[in-house]
């Protein structure tokens, strides 16, 4: 919890980097056995980089999780090699300017446990290599872009 800047977490036997509250700027998470990141509670992460070779690149548990600018790579060549995997009650609150790269074409970029319906405010994201996000995830940004491309949410 609290604020952290330029932290790096690497693990061969668990989550690479975990944040449960506050602000995290420029974190790096790497894991060869679990998630690169685990974000929970009410927190914001900005400009994160995560690599996972087993399980989802990022797991989330909390309605207050905001991610602004993240580069996630999941090299787990399995249908469960998701980009972001959310708890049964919520995926996350906001996902802006994310790049999610997956190794398996049938793995969804964003998935909730049990395919639970979820609302996610999302814009400006780039997805490559995987399958469409879970169909039960609704975009919470309903406003249209103005002539300069700005969106208010």
């Amino acid at each position: 919890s609290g604020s952290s800047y330029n932290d790096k977490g690497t693990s061969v036997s668990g989550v690479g980097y975990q944040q449960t509250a506050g602000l995290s700027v420029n974190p790096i998470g790497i894991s060869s056995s679990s998630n690169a990141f685990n974000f929970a509670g009410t927190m914001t992460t900005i400009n994160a980089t995560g690599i996972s070779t087993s399980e989802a690149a990022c797991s989330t548990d909390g309605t207050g999780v905001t991610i602004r600018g993240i580069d996630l790579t999941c090299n787990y060549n399995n249908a469960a090699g998701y980009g972001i995997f959310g708890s049964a009650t919520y995926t996350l609150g906001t996902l802006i300017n994310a790049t999610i790269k997956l190794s398996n074409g049938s793995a969804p970029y964003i998935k909730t446990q049990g395919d639970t319906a979820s609302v996610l405010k999302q814009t400006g994201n780039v997805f490559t290599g995987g399958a469409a996000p879970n169909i039960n995830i609704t975009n919470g940004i309903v406003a249209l872009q103005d002539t300069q491309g700005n969106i208010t949410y």
Side-chain angles (χ1 to χ4, degrees):
S1 60
S3 296
S4 64
Y5 299 88
N6 304 312
D7 286 346
K8 181 178 181 180
T10 302
S11 178
V12 295
S13 62
V15 173
Y17 181 89
Q18 182 163 322
Q19 182 86 9
T20 58
L23 173 67
S24 180
V25 179
N26 300 322
I28 297 173
I30 300 170
S31 178
S32 60
S33 66
S34 186
N35 312 111
F37 291 112
N38 181 295
F39 297 132
T42 302
M43 59 86 53
T44 297
T45 189
I46 300 171
N47 298 330
T49 302
I51 300 171
S52 174
T53 56
S54 176
E55 298 189 27
C58 179
S59 66
T60 63
D61 184 15
T63 59
V65 176
T66 297
I67 299 174
R68 296 178 184 266
I70 192 166
D71 186 355
L72 290 175
T73 301
C74 185
N75 292 323
Y76 185 37
N77 192 7
N78 183 290
Y82 317 122
I84 297 175
F85 182 73
S87 71
T89 55
Y90 215 88
T91 304
L92 59 126
T94 306
L95 181 66
I96 298 173
N97 296 331
T99 299
I100 300 176
K101 297 170 249 167
L102 304 181
S103 292
N104 190 288
S106 62
Y109 297 106
I110 305 169
K111 179 168 173 48
T112 54
Q113 183 178 0
D115 295 329
T116 304
S118 181
V119 176
L120 168 64
K121 293 179 180 177
Q122 57 180 327
T123 186
N125 302 311
V126 177
F127 304 135
T128 60
N134 180 318
I135 61 170
N136 291 329
I137 297 174
T138 304
N139 191 345
I141 297 177
V142 294
L144 299 175
Q145 291 183 356
D146 64 17
T147 56
Q148 289 77 38
N150 300 308
I151 298 175
T152 302
Y153 60 95

